[in-house]
Amino acid sequence: MSVDAGVVTLRGIGVGRSCAVAPIAFMHPAPVAPADEPAPVDVVTAVQQVTDAFTAVAASLQARADAATGNLAEVLQATALMAGDAALHADVVKRVESGTGPATAVTKAVETFAAMFEAAGGYLAERVTDLNSVRDRVVARLLGAEEPGLSLSERSVVAAADLSPADTAALDLDLVAGIVTELGGPTGHTAIIAGQLGIPCLVRVEGILTVAAGTEVALDAADGTVTLAPSDGLKAAIAAREERAAALAGDTDPGATRDGHKVQLLANIGTPADAVRAVEAHAEGVGLFRTEVLFLDAAEAPTAEAQATTYQQAVEALGGRKLVVRTIDAGADKPLAFATQPDEDNPALGVRGFRLTRILPELIDTQLAALGAVTDDSMWAMAPMIATPAEARDFAARARAAGIGTVGVMVEVPSAALRAEAILREVDFVSLGTNDLAQYTMATDRLRGELADLLDPWQPAVLELVRSTAQAGRRLGKPVGVCGESASDPLMALVLVGLGITSLSMSPGALAAVRYAVRSHTRAECEEIAMAALAQDEAAAARSAALSKVNPDAREALGL
């Protein structure tokens, strides 16, 4: 969306397609340890204070996790475990016992752990924001100060240097018109949670912290802009877009192109409660049920019976609609309290997903037994982090032995995309996780905001791997879906359909726009759009070429 000449506009990386106009409000800063904090007079008392503070923060985070759903619940539970981490607590205690003030000891210990996480890169580096959130809350309790947060009295665009899941959970989300951060990246936790909640979001917005509180701003995630003191014309244009978005939500028919080529439109969920919301959003089912939430807050491995109850609840909530369950993707940034793994120098390339069978085979087999106990043909199961046909064969054998009828795997690793036909001969379907596929294809840390252009799903190299996988599915007559966040972009959805993808799974809030985009084009037009993108050498050029082929009426209706 263009803005008037002379208007002050800040640019960043947009998450989603939505927009908003509201005054800006800033998260109040976290308290910091005094520069001259004295050594504790009573070390035993100081250690107890530290212990109590960590315990209280862990309990508070867990309570917020219990009240949340989906990605937000999952990340909050992992952060609660971080607050209860024995190694972190031991480091703080050691510093206090050596004469360091409690708040300073916490700060220094977290600095050490954060440096290790950043050096490891990948998923662990993404957890630094959450680790700092734990620090801020513990330090606040030790100093008797207010924890970081923001009490909203009106609908506002919330701005901060960065925003942790705990910060987000503390907000009155009914009053959050949008989120803007100076740091972060498009695949970080803030961005993912904003997408789940349907909140327009921009990250990497330089200069946002210099804006005066209360300034009215127009946030446009699709265009990646924050416009200060927007004109009446711009506000009217955004209001019109919001009206169009509401109108699009009235179409609840199954996904299909204009000439009747079916494309299943599915939702990503993390809990059975999310399945209910997916149905309310007119999803045709669930293309990704993240099951980590069952494990991350558990002191011991959940039993097959307990897991089966949860899966059965999701099946019943969907009322016969398709349910694709991803087996546990723990490891790397999602440590298990009941199964400590050896330290890894590069956890993003380490023991995670299905690779857990190498060290914890009973964990995967118990989950498969639980899934096999759910007697419903609408439930499919798939394994993450598959790299070879042999791994796909191993998973398929385990899953079928457990009684699971429809078995598939995730394609997140370039080797799996390149060998997709051999993998599909072992399983019934595959689903592409485009966030990880982009990370591994472009050799780019998902946390490094300055490398966001390399993580762009429009990178032609990533699109080539998607096409290769889809073509393998077409040759064998087997489904190939996409459950990465790229499926929520209506323009990218057209490209994916043109490449041969058979289902798109996304945040429920994105379904209406994607449904309209697909219905506004024939299959042949989608193929033409896809080929235009693939003919380019750069991500920006690929998107521009695709956009040039879009039906003008659809482009206007979707605000593309």
Side-chain angles (χ1 to χ4, degrees):
M1 178 180 293
S2 61
V3 296
D4 299 334
V7 171
V8 177
T9 301
L10 305 178
R11 296 194 173 273
I13 302 170
V15 179
R17 307 288 309 165
S18 51
C19 51
V21 175
I24 196 166
F26 294 92
M27 298 286 290
H28 64 72
V32 298
D36 56 350
E37 185 180 19
V41 176
D42 184 340
V43 170
V44 173
T45 299
V47 167
Q48 188 60 53
Q49 289 173 337
V50 165
T51 300
D52 291 345
F54 271 103
T55 300
V57 168
S60 174
L61 290 169
Q62 185 57 53
R64 292 178 184 178
D66 293 340
T69 62
N71 283 318
L72 182 56
E74 177 183 325
V75 177
L76 282 169
Q77 286 171 331
T79 308
L81 284 176
M82 190 179 290
D85 183 76
L88 175 60
H89 183 255
D91 190 311
V92 175
V93 169
K94 182 178 179 181
R95 292 173 188 272
V96 172
E97 291 176 341
S98 67
T100 303
T104 303
V106 171
T107 302
K108 295 297 184 183
V110 169
E111 285 178 0
T112 299
F113 276 72
M116 290 190 294
F117 283 15
E118 289 172 344
Y123 287 91
L124 274 182
E126 290 183 1
R127 302 312 307 276
V128 170
T129 296
D130 305 329
L131 183 61
N132 289 338
S133 177
V134 171
R135 173 203 62 201
D136 294 342
R137 284 163 170 71
V138 171
V139 168
R141 288 179 180 271
L142 290 171
L143 298 179
E146 186 178 4
E147 289 189 13
L150 174 63
S151 178
L152 296 174
S153 58
E154 62 178 333
R155 187 170 179 269
S156 304
V157 170
V158 175
D162 206 351
L163 205 61
S164 73
D167 296 331
T168 305
L171 295 169
D172 181 349
L173 296 177
D174 289 336
L175 294 177
V176 177
I179 293 173
V180 184
T181 66
E182 188 176 53
L183 305 175
T187 61
H189 287 146
T190 298
I192 290 173
I193 290 168
Q196 174 198 331
L197 298 173
I199 297 173
C201 175
L202 263 72
V203 298
R204 309 294 297 183
V205 181
E206 185 176 351
I208 192 63
L209 299 183
T210 65
V211 177
T215 300
E216 188 176 49
V217 299
L219 187 159
D220 186 346
D223 197 37
T225 57
V226 179
T227 304
L228 312 188
S231 66
D232 291 341
L234 179 55
K235 289 191 287 186
I238 286 180
R241 268 180 58 185
E242 292 177 323
E243 289 177 5
R244 288 196 299 268
L248 295 182
D251 180 0
T252 61
D253 288 340
T257 59
R258 193 170 71 239
D259 54 339
H261 172 65
K262 294 186 181 301
V263 181
Q264 276 195 317
L265 301 182
L266 310 169
N268 298 337
I269 68 169
T271 67
D274 291 341
V276 175
R277 297 181 182 89
V279 171
E280 293 172 348
H282 308 292
E284 295 173 60
V286 166
L288 173 63
F289 182 6
R290 303 178 180 92
T291 58
E292 291 73 46
V293 68
L294 295 171
F295 296 84
L296 293 177
D297 65 336
E300 57 185 28
T303 65
E305 293 75 13
Q307 292 185 56
T309 297
T310 298
Y311 306 143
Q312 187 66 47
Q313 289 171 346
V315 166
E316 292 172 359
L318 290 170
R321 296 172 180 83
K322 178 178 176 180
L323 172 64
V324 182
V325 179
R326 184 182 69 188
T327 56
I328 184 171
D329 194 21
D333 69 324
K334 302 169 185 174
L336 302 176
F338 51 85
T340 302
Q341 298 178 51
D343 292 337
E344 295 183 276
D345 292 332
N346 195 336
L349 303 180
V351 181
R352 53 172 294 215
F354 184 65
R355 297 175 180 182
L356 285 168
T357 55
R358 297 169 183 256
I359 60 172
L360 297 168
E362 67 282 358
L363 183 66
I364 303 299
D365 290 339
T366 298
Q367 183 173 30
L368 292 176
L371 290 168
V374 178
T375 55
D376 195 300
D377 292 339
S378 66
M379 194 201 72
W380 300 9
M382 65 181 179
M385 204 62 180
I386 294 293
T388 68
E391 288 181 334
R393 187 182 312 120
D394 183 13
F395 175 72
R398 291 171 184 263
R400 289 174 178 141
I404 299 170
T406 306
V407 179
V409 299
M410 295 284 293
V411 173
E412 305 161 284
V413 181
S415 63
L418 294 170
R419 298 290 292 158
E421 186 164 339
I423 285 175
L424 274 165
R425 293 188 188 280
E426 305 293 343
V427 296
D428 304 309
F429 72 98
V430 297
S431 185
L432 288 137
T434 50
N435 288 348
D436 270 332
L437 185 61
Q439 173 181 230
Y440 293 129
T441 300
M442 306 305 294
T444 302
D445 187 337
R446 289 167 59 177
L447 188 67
R448 304 297 300 194
E450 64 269 38
L451 300 179
D453 59 310
L454 296 178
L455 282 172
D456 193 324
W458 288 95
Q459 284 289 349
V462 179
L463 295 179
E464 285 283 6
L465 292 176
V466 173
R467 176 170 68 167
S468 176
T469 306
Q471 287 177 337
R474 184 177 295 178
R475 286 192 294 271
L476 296 179
K478 294 185 176 182
V480 176
V482 167
C483 59
E485 287 303 312
S486 63
S488 65
D489 177 351
L491 179 56
M492 176 59 81
L494 297 175
V495 171
L496 296 174
V497 172
L499 294 176
I501 295 302
T502 59
S503 67
L504 302 170
S505 192
M506 64 204 76
S507 300
L511 284 164
V514 171
R515 180 181 286 109
Y516 178 84
V518 173
R519 195 180 307 288
S520 300
H521 297 80
T522 65
R523 182 178 184 179
E525 288 170 341
C526 290
E527 290 172 348
E528 183 181 1
I529 293 169
M531 291 307 102
L534 277 172
Q536 309 305 311
D537 292 328
E538 303 293 339
R543 187 183 187 282
S544 179
L547 184 59
S548 71
K549 301 289 184 180
V550 172
N551 178 312
D553 290 339
R555 190 186 314 168
E556 180 180 358
L558 294 167
L560 297 175

